[in-house]
């Protein structure tokens, strides 16, 4: 073949591929429902799609969360291998729990887009890359990690939503709820700023009936009381495993759950379903989830899980992959779900334009649910970096795996400050009371430098007081007195409660430790070592639920 004709054919093939890749319809939210571009109602008929990482059993890991993860959207050949099986199931959405923003996802996202399959992507990462349940923080390192993921995926047309958390709030009185809501607020503002149509979601544990709806209302309410929805999520997921074995709409609890959400104001769906405690899984809940009893309230669900996943209740998963990764073997579990998904044909109702958005005021704290409607501020990278430059003693770790020592050193420094009548309130916060330290949103390394500097100043700038086992270095360019340092710090953090639309931080920005920006997906979040610290004012995140194993 003449090279010129070969080039023409290649260009034609590329154009065809591009057009096919652009053919998937956009999905938008109108009130409590989803609609495609042609104004038909969209239902999530999905499956979770992520191989389980290594799970280290311990008293601190009662949720069975992996310590590592495999980014399934970076494995182009695996996505092509699995596509025929996803098509056999008839799914239109996959949920992925963690991705690596530094990897290339073109093959997988194009493969799925061409097949009409959308993605719901959780922004959190295992270990240090998510909001901690017990001692939470919404800080610059987390914000920039989330933004890095969004930036890696914003060019794809089949991102339906980003989840800002998965089962972070697990009790009626939990300090983490305002931090997750603040994350939703800031991610929503960022998506608006880059003209992204992706939705902001949260996936909730199916908690006690006494506070389950209160939590849902908390995430979909407008804490600004302006009815703008700026602090409300768009998509509320419920990880629901009520229907076990050969059950029914009434017996399973689905009827009660649906009644509870009857008046919910944003899109609700089952972000996980598929109980394994009464095998075999018959998947008859699919027929209930997509019928007239539930469709006015729910917009579908995500079956758990395509890949094998072990749990205390039993083995999830519908396929097995050969050791060389080339062959897929389906199970009877797969076949039964295929049958159930194949039988549904939900109506396109209510019609497009019949539902409008409204955002009620946030519920008052009560004995059944206690979380402040005063949210943490937007993490401010510039302010935190400005502060760090003024600190007299700065964290300069002796090990490259510094995530393993930050929590311990912060705990030590706060303990030493306490012995001298000082405290670490500036770096802490209380999500129940709605009070947050002026540095609560800074990167953990900046917080550590701050408390090390406090101790150094209290000890009259004794060089030994900045050592911290060789992990601290005196900043020779810092202001020459404690009062000058405090004035500089106050100037940097002039408005500690500010909220604004965040921006992406340049990867060329380098912090004092020599790693790329404090807020990037590298640094603390990139390390696999768990960070420990027991000071109530500050513990680096150990990671909220990577996926449900209940």
């Amino acid at each position: 073949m003449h090279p010129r004709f070969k080039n023409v054919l290649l260009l034609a093939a590329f154009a065809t591929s591009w057009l096919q890749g652009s053919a998937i319809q956009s999905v938008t939210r109108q009130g409590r429902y989803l609609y495609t571009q042609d104004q038909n109602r969209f239902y999530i008929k999905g499956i979770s799609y992520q191989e389980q990482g290594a799970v280290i059993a311990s008293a601190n890991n009662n949720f069975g969360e992996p310590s590592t993860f495999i980014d399934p959207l970076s494995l182009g050949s695996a996505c092509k291998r699995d596509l025929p099986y996803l098509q056999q199931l008839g799914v239109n959405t996959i949920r992925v729990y963690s991705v690596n923003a530094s990897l290339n996802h073109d093959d997988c996202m194009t493969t799925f887009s061409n097949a009409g399959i959308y993605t719901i992507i959780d922004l959190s990462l295992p270990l240090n890359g998510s909001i901690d349940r017990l001692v939470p923080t919404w800080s610059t390192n987390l914000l920039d990690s989330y933004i890095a993921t969004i930036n890696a995926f914003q060019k794809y047309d089949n991102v339906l939503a980003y989840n800002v958390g998965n089962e972070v709030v697990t009790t009626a009185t939990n300090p983490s709820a305002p931090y997750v809501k603040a994350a939703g607020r800031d991610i929503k503002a960022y998506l608006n700023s880059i003209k992204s149509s992706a939705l902001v979601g949260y996936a909730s544990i199916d908690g006690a009936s006494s506070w389950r709806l209160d939590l849902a209302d908390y995430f979909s309410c407008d804490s600004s009381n302006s009815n703008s929805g700026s602090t409300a999520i768009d998509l509320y997921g419920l990880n629901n495993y009520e229907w076990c074995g050969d059950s029914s709409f009434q017996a399973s609890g689905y009827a009660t759950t649906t009644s509870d959400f009857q008046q919910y104001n944003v899109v609700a769906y089952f972000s996980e379903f598929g109980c394994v405690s009464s095998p075999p899984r018959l998947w008859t809940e699919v027929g209930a989830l997509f019928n007239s009893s539930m469709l006015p309230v729910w917009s579908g669900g995500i079956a758990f899980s395509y890949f094998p996943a072990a749990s205390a209740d039993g083995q999830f998963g519908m396929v097995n992959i050969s050791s060389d990764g080339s062959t897929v073997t389906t199970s009877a579990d797969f076949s039964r779900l295929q049958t159930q998904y194949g039988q549904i044909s939900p109506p396109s109702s209510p019609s497009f334009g019949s539902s409008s958005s409204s955002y009620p005021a946030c519920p008052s704290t009560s004995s059944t649910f206690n979380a402040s409607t005063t949210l943490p501020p937007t993490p401010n990278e510039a302010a935190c970096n400005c502060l760090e430059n003024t600190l007299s003693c700065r964290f300069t770790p002796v090990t490259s795996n510094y995530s393993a020592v930050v929590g311990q050193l912060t705990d030590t420094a706060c303990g030493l400050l306490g012995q001298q009548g000082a405290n670490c309130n500036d770096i802490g916060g209380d999500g129940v009371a709605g009070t947050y330290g002026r540095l609560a949103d800074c990167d953990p390394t900046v917080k550590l430098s701050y408390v090390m500097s406090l101790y150094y100043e209290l000890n009259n700038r004794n060089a030994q007081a900045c050592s911290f086992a060789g992990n601290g270095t005196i900043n020779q360019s810092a202001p020459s007195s404690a009062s000058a340092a405090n004035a500089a710090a106050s100037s940097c953090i002039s408005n500690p409660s500010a909220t604004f639309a965040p921006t992406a931080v340049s990867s060329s920005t380098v912090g004092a430790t020599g790693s790329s920006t404090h807020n990037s997906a590298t640094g603390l979040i990139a390390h696999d070592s768990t960070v420990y610290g027991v000071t109530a004012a500050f513990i680096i995140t150990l990671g909220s639920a990577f996926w449900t194993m209940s």
Side-chain angles (χ1 to χ4, degrees):
M1 179 182 293
H2 192 283
R4 181 176 296 173
F5 290 111
K6 185 176 181 180
N7 290 338
V8 169
L9 288 176
L10 286 172
L11 287 171
F14 173 80
T16 301
S17 174
W18 184 86
L19 287 171
Q20 288 175 340
S22 302
I24 194 169
Q25 294 192 57
S26 61
V27 175
T28 57
R29 178 178 75 86
Q30 188 177 85
R32 64 184 300 180
Y33 302 115
L34 298 171
Y35 293 92
T36 53
Q37 197 169 345
D38 58 7
Q39 299 187 356
N40 285 311
R41 188 171 167 197
F42 180 80
Y43 299 93
I44 297 168
K45 186 169 69 168
I47 192 166
S48 62
Y49 184 75
Q50 187 142 23
E51 291 186 68
Q52 186 177 21
V55 178
I56 301 174
S58 72
N60 295 322
N61 191 21
N62 58 345
F63 274 79
E65 294 162 8
S67 57
T68 61
F69 73 93
I70 301 165
D71 179 352
L73 298 180
S74 68
L75 306 174
S77 59
C79 292
K80 291 181 176 68
R81 174 201 67 199
D82 294 329
L83 178 61
Y85 300 96
L86 297 175
Q87 290 176 317
Q88 287 177 38
L89 287 173
V91 301
N92 61 16
T93 308
I94 58 174
R95 180 183 174 192
V96 178
Y97 293 80
S98 285
V99 294
N100 186 336
S102 67
L103 300 179
N104 186 289
H105 304 93
D106 290 351
D107 281 355
C108 284
M109 293 300 287
T110 300
T111 294
F112 292 139
S113 177
N114 289 345
I117 295 175
Y118 299 85
T119 55
I120 296 175
I121 299 173
D122 287 37
L123 296 174
S124 58
L125 300 174
L127 297 181
N128 306 320
S130 55
I131 297 172
D132 183 75
R133 294 186 180 94
L134 300 179
V135 188
T137 182
W138 175 232
S139 49
T140 55
N141 55 308
L142 291 178
L143 172 60
D144 270 7
S145 174
Y146 289 13
I147 286 177
T149 295
I150 292 170
N151 288 347
F153 283 86
Q154 67 167 322
K155 62 182 176 180
Y156 306 121
D157 58 7
N158 55 333
V159 177
L160 177 63
Y162 297 104
N163 283 336
V164 294
N166 181 60
E167 297 193 351
V168 184
V169 183
T170 58
T171 61
T173 300
N174 192 294
S176 61
Y179 293 87
V180 179
K181 191 169 177 67
R185 173 201 64 204
D186 293 338
I187 292 305
K188 193 170 189 176
Y190 181 71
L191 290 171
N192 287 336
S193 74
I194 62 172
K195 305 292 191 293
S196 171
S197 62
L199 305 175
V200 176
Y202 174 76
S204 173
I205 192 171
D206 191 12
S209 59
S210 60
W211 57 268
R212 177 176 61 185
L213 187 58
D214 288 330
L215 175 62
D217 288 339
Y218 180 82
F219 282 125
S220 67
C221 70
D222 186 358
S223 58
S224 68
N225 295 322
S226 64
N227 197 37
S228 67
S230 61
T231 66
I233 59 167
D234 302 302
L235 189 66
Y236 190 80
L238 190 66
N239 294 340
N240 184 289
Y241 291 88
E242 290 179 299
W243 189 300
C244 298
D246 189 14
S247 192
S248 68
F249 180 64
Q250 293 292 337
S252 66
Y254 271 28
T256 300
T257 301
T258 299
S259 177
D260 287 345
F261 281 80
Q262 196 73 42
Q263 303 301 319
Y264 201 51
N265 62 307
V266 301
V267 178
Y269 76 113
F270 282 10
S271 40
E272 290 176 6
F273 69 91
C275 171
V276 293
S277 63
S278 299
R281 292 200 285 185
L282 303 176
W283 297 109
T284 47
E285 64 264 47
V286 169
L289 184 56
F290 289 90
N291 76 6
S292 58
S293 298
M294 298 185 70
L295 291 182
V297 176
W298 305 99
S299 291
I302 303 287
F304 190 87
S305 153
Y306 180 80
F307 294 105
S311 77
D313 289 337
Q315 179 68 47
F316 292 88
M318 287 168 248
V319 304
N320 285 299
I321 310 298
S322 61
S323 58
D324 64 0
S326 63
T327 305
V328 176
T329 303
T330 62
S331 66
D333 207 21
F334 177 97
S335 299
R336 286 187 292 267
L337 180 62
Q338 179 184 5
T339 298
Q340 293 295 328
Y341 266 165
Q343 292 175 349
I344 63 173
S345 182
S348 183
S349 62
S351 61
F352 182 82
S354 61
S355 178
S356 59
S357 298
S358 63
Y359 303 96
C362 290
S364 302
T365 58
S366 65
S367 58
T368 56
F369 184 74
N370 194 4
S372 176
T373 56
T374 300
L375 306 182
T378 303
N380 190 330
E381 176 79 17
C384 292
N385 286 345
C386 171
L387 168 72
E388 186 179 31
N389 291 331
T390 72
L391 297 176
S392 55
C393 177
R394 299 202 301 199
F395 173 56
T396 51
V398 296
T399 173
S400 60
N401 188 16
Y402 59 88
S403 64
V405 300
V406 171
Q408 296 175 8
L409 289 175
T410 303
D411 184 40
T412 298
C414 288
L416 292 171
L417 287 174
Q419 292 174 14
Q420 295 191 245
N423 59 62
C424 283
N425 291 345
D426 271 343
I427 64 170
D430 185 342
V432 174
T435 56
Y436 310 99
R438 61 176 178 165
L439 313 181
D441 63 306
C442 289
D443 179 276
T445 60
V446 177
K447 293 177 182 177
L448 175 54
S449 292
Y450 177 75
V451 295
M452 290 169 66
S453 294
L454 286 181
Y455 183 70
Y456 174 62
E457 297 290 352
L458 283 173
N459 286 274
N460 299 315
R461 298 198 168 193
N462 184 316
Q464 190 59 35
C466 181
S467 175
F468 287 89
N471 290 287
T473 299
I474 296 172
N475 178 15
Q476 300 295 344
S477 62
S480 58
S481 68
S483 59
N486 285 332
S490 296
S491 175
C492 291
I493 315 290
S494 59
N495 188 2
S497 60
T499 59
F500 51 89
T503 57
V505 176
S506 169
S507 59
S508 63
T509 304
V510 177
T513 62
S515 64
S516 59
T517 98
H518 291 306
N519 288 5
S520 67
T522 59
L524 282 177
I525 291 174
H527 293 294
D528 286 336
S529 299
T530 303
V531 179
Y532 297 95
V534 296
T535 302
F538 170 69
I539 298 181
I540 294 178
T541 56
L542 298 177
S544 57
F546 179 56
W547 51 22
T548 295
M549 290 294 159
S550 56

